[in-house]
Amino acid sequence: MRRGRVTIAEVAERAGVSLTTVSHVLSARRPVAPGTRQRVLEIIDELGYEPDSAAAGLAGARSTTIALDAFGGTSWALSQLVEPESYFYIGLLRAIEAHATAAGYDLLMPSRPQDDAGGYLRRLRSRRAAGVVVMARNFDDPRTRALLEAQFPTVFVDMFGRGPKATSVTSDNADGARQATEHLLALGHRRIARISKAADPMAGQGRNTGARAALSAAGVLEDPRLVLEAEWTPDAAYQATVRLLRSGAPFTAVLAGSDVMAINVIAALADHGLRVPEDVSVVGFDDLQLGTMVRPTLTTVRQDTDAMGAAVIEALRRILDGEPAPEPILVPTALVVRGSTAAPRP
């Protein structure tokens, strides 16, 4: 059984490279061939090597690497991006990458979701991650708690997290849903159905809160039969729409939890002989490009991914510079009116 701290010399010997090469991989100050770099990182992980942060500080080597960790459970982040319910995050990742690059940071994406909390932190440190951007993960994930307890510089995106060295960046979901509901109310709709994952502690609950506030302000009583719980997936939205139709509860508009869900709401309505917006108006959330490619084009709530990406990197930069973690940041949303909404039929 190994005793004592793993040394950089042991890493170099096992990887079959020089001490200088390992040092360049750790500091990221000089280029290393991709294959060699990957081999060194694998050996670092295998041996559980952790750089001596004190020595690195004396050498003046400040890391410019930011770890980007998306989704939770056992999902592999990159492969999950191909799922329709994750399309919004493609644009958000693009914005984070652009602003990180402009600020002089390199992005690292850990891809071992099965790691326990201790192994997760060890790998971040072994790769000299200066901070972490965590996106769309459950707050009760052990790795999330580990980051907060270790006071590892972290910015949480599309989820809540707060600590001495942690803050969060989210869209103003409540205000976006309020705007969408007020738009439908202004058109004359009073029987407005909602299909979303209301149990989601950030987006779902926030959007429900905003929609209810708009209804209350207009003096419209909410019919519980028109509030349907569904996962963020297209099929779940389709099936929820079918349940709504079979319930017999009258409605003239649907506020969907996302653009992808809204597109399948429209599909389910069409399959049951209903036209959009002539018979039913539909509003999405996100403002994906997909919304301009369907007919009718989709009225939606825009999430400003570029502003979110800029806020994420600026917040993390401030934490890394030793400033107090900023207060949680709410990025404004905006209603985009297109062809899927109209006044209800008399």
Side-chain angles (χ1 to χ4, degrees):
M1 181 178 293
R2 166 177 296 281
R3 296 182 183 276
R5 186 184 184 95
V6 176
T7 67
I8 191 172
E10 291 175 278
V11 173
E13 180 181 2
R14 180 71 68 88
V17 299
S18 67
L19 289 171
T20 302
T21 297
V22 177
S23 178
H24 289 166
V25 170
L26 292 171
S27 68
R29 286 182 293 176
R30 294 194 180 181
V32 176
T36 302
R37 182 177 183 277
Q38 181 61 32
R39 172 65 176 162
V40 171
L41 290 175
E42 289 174 353
I43 296 302
I44 285 172
D45 191 57
E46 177 185 323
L47 296 180
Y49 171 76
E50 295 186 28
D52 187 334
S53 57
L58 289 172
R62 174 172 173 173
S63 173
T64 59
T65 299
I66 294 175
L68 179 61
D69 204 351
F71 311 114
T74 58
S75 299
W76 301 93
L78 288 177
S79 58
Q80 187 156 334
L81 288 173
V82 305
E83 300 297 332
E85 58 268 28
S86 300
Y87 285 175
F88 163 72
Y89 293 106
I90 296 174
L92 184 51
L93 284 170
R94 182 185 298 116
I96 290 172
E97 180 182 25
H99 287 282
T101 301
Y105 294 109
D106 298 307
L107 293 182
L108 164 73
M109 181 169 280
S111 55
R112 297 189 183 182
Q114 71 276 16
D115 268 358
D116 60 21
Y120 175 68
L121 285 173
R122 185 172 63 250
R123 286 198 308 111
L124 290 176
R125 287 168 175 148
S126 72
R127 285 157 174 76
R128 297 196 64 234
V132 189
V133 175
V134 180
M135 183 159 44
R137 184 192 289 165
N138 294 329
F139 183 75
D140 59 0
D141 188 303
R143 292 165 295 177
T144 301
R145 294 198 300 271
L147 288 169
L148 292 171
E149 291 170 1
Q151 294 193 20
F152 205 100
T154 304
V155 175
F156 296 99
V157 187
D158 218 21
M159 58 181 289
F160 180 77
R162 188 77 172 95
K165 292 188 177 182
T167 191
S168 61
V169 175
T170 61
S171 283
D172 194 338
N173 290 289
D175 192 61
R178 177 196 59 78
Q179 293 179 64
T181 305
E182 287 181 349
H183 167 65
L184 293 171
L185 290 166
L187 288 172
H189 295 278
R190 294 297 181 269
R191 305 287 300 176
I192 302 170
R194 294 200 306 278
I195 298 176
S196 69
K197 188 176 181 180
D200 183 294
M202 184 62 69
Q205 291 182 17
R207 294 171 195 178
N208 253 1
T209 297
R212 286 188 172 125
L215 292 174
S216 177
V220 177
L221 293 177
E222 181 178 85
D223 185 341
R225 296 176 299 171
L226 300 184
V227 182
L228 289 90
E229 177 77 14
E231 294 295 324
W232 297 115
T233 65
D235 183 64
Y238 186 100
Q239 297 302 328
T241 307
V242 172
R243 294 198 308 272
L244 174 63
L245 291 165
R246 289 176 177 171
S247 73
F251 66 97
T252 62
V254 178
L255 179 58
S258 70
D259 286 353
V260 169
M261 295 177 78
I263 289 169
N264 262 31
V265 168
I266 292 173
L269 293 171
D271 288 348
H272 287 77
L274 295 173
R275 299 167 300 165
V276 174
E278 292 85 354
D279 300 315
V280 180
S281 288
V282 177
V283 181
F285 209 107
D286 291 338
D287 193 26
L288 301 181
Q289 188 177 9
L290 284 174
T292 66
M293 299 166 65
V294 297
R295 292 297 180 269
T297 54
L298 187 64
T299 294
T300 187
V301 174
R302 174 178 296 148
Q303 297 198 69
D304 191 339
T305 53
D306 185 68
M308 292 179 73
V312 167
I313 299 304
E314 174 61 15
L316 190 55
R317 182 200 64 76
R318 290 172 60 182
I319 296 171
L320 294 175
D321 283 349
E323 299 180 31
E327 292 295 318
I329 299 164
L330 272 182
V331 178
T333 49
L335 180 70
V336 180
V337 178
R338 297 195 182 102
S340 65
T341 51
R345 292 190 303 176

